[in-house]
């Protein structure tokens, strides 16, 4: 008799609340880099950091003006890493196609190019914009103190 199928190992998610301030983008990037290093993830780091930076920038720039902050959450399950940015704006992100002279509007194009998938989950009081990345090796279960 074959053994029952195993469920994917789920690394507990880890999150960091940040202020609704442009300086939080750098903090989100450093937080993400630290967690990836702690989890032993060495592949796709540049892609993940770029996407977290872009998603955090969008949350700060386009989030609700009265927002008190944003939340960055990282989740891992076997060979898939998910980076999420939560904000309290009901407005959904729009992928733009800026001309060559435009200084802005490329964030979601970069996320589309670097991530294996991205999307938005909408809730009553907030939204979550996420990007997913296939990674080479599963992550060992560890507890991370932050």
């Amino acid at each position: 008799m074959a053994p029952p199928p195993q469920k994917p190992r789920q690394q507990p998610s880890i999150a960091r609340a940040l202020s609704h301030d442009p300086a939080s983008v750098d903090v989100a990037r450093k937080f993400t880099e630290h967690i990836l290093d702690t989890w032993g993830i060495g592949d796709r780091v540049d892609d993940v950091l770029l996407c977290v930076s872009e998603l955090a920038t969008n949350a700060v720039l386009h989030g609700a003006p009265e927002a008190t902050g944003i939340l960055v959450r990282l989740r891992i399950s076997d060979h898939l890493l998910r980076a999420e940015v939560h904000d309290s704006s009901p407005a959904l992100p729009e992928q733009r196609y800026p001309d060559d002279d435009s200084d802005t509007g490329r964030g979601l194009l970069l996320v589309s190019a670097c991530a294996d998938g991205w999307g938005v989950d909408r809730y009553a009081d907030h939204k979550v914009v996420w990007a997913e990345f296939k990674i080479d090796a599963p992550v060992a279960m560890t507890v991370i103190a932050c």
Side-chain angles (χ1 to χ4, degrees):
M1 185 165 146
Q6 291 184 335
K7 291 183 181 179
R9 291 180 303 163
Q10 180 73 30
Q11 173 78 27
S13 68
I14 189 159
R16 173 101 187 249
L18 302 168
S19 63
H20 194 262
D21 182 281
S24 292
V25 175
D26 188 50
V27 176
R29 186 180 175 89
K30 288 177 180 172
F31 164 74
T32 300
E33 187 171 34
H34 170 71
I35 298 306
L36 295 180
D37 183 56
T38 302
W39 283 347
I41 297 174
D43 58 319
R44 307 291 307 271
V45 171
D46 291 337
D47 290 342
V48 175
L49 294 178
L50 176 65
C51 290
V52 166
S53 295
E54 293 299 333
L55 297 180
T57 297
N58 284 350
V60 168
L61 291 178
H62 305 295
E66 71 281 356
T68 57
I70 64 173
L71 181 85
V72 176
R73 180 181 307 277
L74 301 172
R75 298 177 186 272
I76 192 109
S77 178
D78 280 341
H79 294 277
L80 190 68
L81 171 71
R82 180 175 169 130
E84 303 174 349
V85 177
H86 301 232
D87 74 69
S88 59
S89 171
L92 296 178
E94 295 179 31
Q95 189 165 338
R96 298 181 185 161
Y97 300 92
D99 60 35
D100 293 340
D101 297 329
S102 181
D103 290 335
T104 62
R106 291 178 180 79
L108 290 178
L109 286 172
L110 291 169
V111 171
S112 292
C114 294
D116 293 308
W118 75 275
V120 182
D121 296 331
R122 197 178 214 179
Y123 299 92
D125 61 343
H126 73 287
K127 71 175 177 291
V128 179
V129 185
W130 52 266
E132 291 181 334
F133 307 86
K134 295 175 186 168
I135 56 173
D136 287 337
V139 176
M141 296 293 279
T142 57
V143 175
I144 299 172
C146 288

